[in-house]
Amino acid sequence: MNIRSEQEMLSFGREFAKGVTYPYVIELIGDVGAGKTTFVRGLAEGLGVKEQVTSPSFMISKSYALPNGGYLVHYDFYRLPEPGIMQDDLAENLKNPNNIVVIEWGESIAEFLPKEHVKIEIKYTEEGREVTI
Ligand code: ADP
Ligand code: MG
């Protein structure tokens, strides 16, 4: 799927939200600036999150309340070569059946993710971004 603009990425995220079941785990793969966080902004909107989504890069994780009582939990492990205590935080959030967990740069915690999770890969192309699910 080719995504030509930031707006299209936001729409893709909103549309993707319609097919999400609870709990749900998404691993986002793509270079810095590919559009991973932009996708999560659209996803959050589609899931009914009222707050503004910002990049969790400097926070490692951010949680947004969902209408079902669970949370959209957004991780970015880019600056975290060793998961450390975040591993417990992740395990805790993966346990809540009402959560949607989205992970950027998940290599360091790959072994702690459930085997059944969705991978979305975003690649730069001349026309925009090539997205593979
Ligand atoms: P990441 O989280 O992957 O590092 P971000 O979503 O934070 O990336 O940033 C992507 C940047 O690229 C944004 O500034 C966005 O406006 C821009 N952009 C340009 N074209 C696209 C596109 N087709 N899809 C997504 N983002 C795009
Ligand atoms: Mg990001």
Side-chain angles (χ1 to χ4, degrees), residues 59-85:
M59 313 282 303
I60 302 163
S61 97
K62 284 193 179 171
S63 297
Y64 306 93
L66 291 169
N68 70 354
Y71 291 89
L72 167 63
V73 190
H74 185 192
Y75 288 97
D76 185 333
F77 291 113
Y78 190 58
R79 289 175 180 76
L80 206 71
E82 290 275 338
I85 56 163

Side-chain angles (χ1 to χ4, degrees), residues 44-110:
E45 213 184 300
L47 292 172
V49 168
K50 298 293 172 218
E51 302 141 86
Q52 175 77 37
V53 170
T54 52
S55 172
S57 292
F58 295 96
M59 313 282 303
I60 302 163
S61 97
K62 284 193 179 171
S63 297
Y64 306 93
L66 291 169
N68 70 354
Y71 291 89
L72 167 63
V73 190
H74 185 192
Y75 288 97
D76 185 333
F77 291 113
Y78 190 58
R79 289 175 180 76
L80 206 71
E82 290 275 338
I85 56 163
M86 288 314 285
Q87 193 180 312
D88 300 332
D89 182 86
L90 176 67
E92 193 76 9
N93 280 313
L94 288 171
K95 258 191 275 172
N96 185 334
N98 290 323
N99 282 357
I100 307 288
V101 176
V102 185
I103 296 145
E104 299 185 29
W105 301 104
E107 288 81 359
S108 65
I109 47 82

Side-chain angles (χ1 to χ4, degrees), residues 110-125:
E111 61 187 299
F112 308 112
L113 293 183
K115 277 198 199 76
E116 301 259 320
H117 72 267
V118 172
K119 283 188 197 185
I120 298 178
E121 187 163 3
I122 307 170
K123 283 193 176 132
Y124 289 93
T125 63

Side-chain angles (χ1 to χ4, degrees), residues 3-6 9 30-39 104 128-129:
I3 298 208
R4 283 182 230 88
S5 66
E6 176 175 18
M9 186 62 85
D31 289 339
V32 171
K36 302 183 292 300
T37 297
T38 305
F39 165 79
E104 299 185 29
R129 306 288 193 274

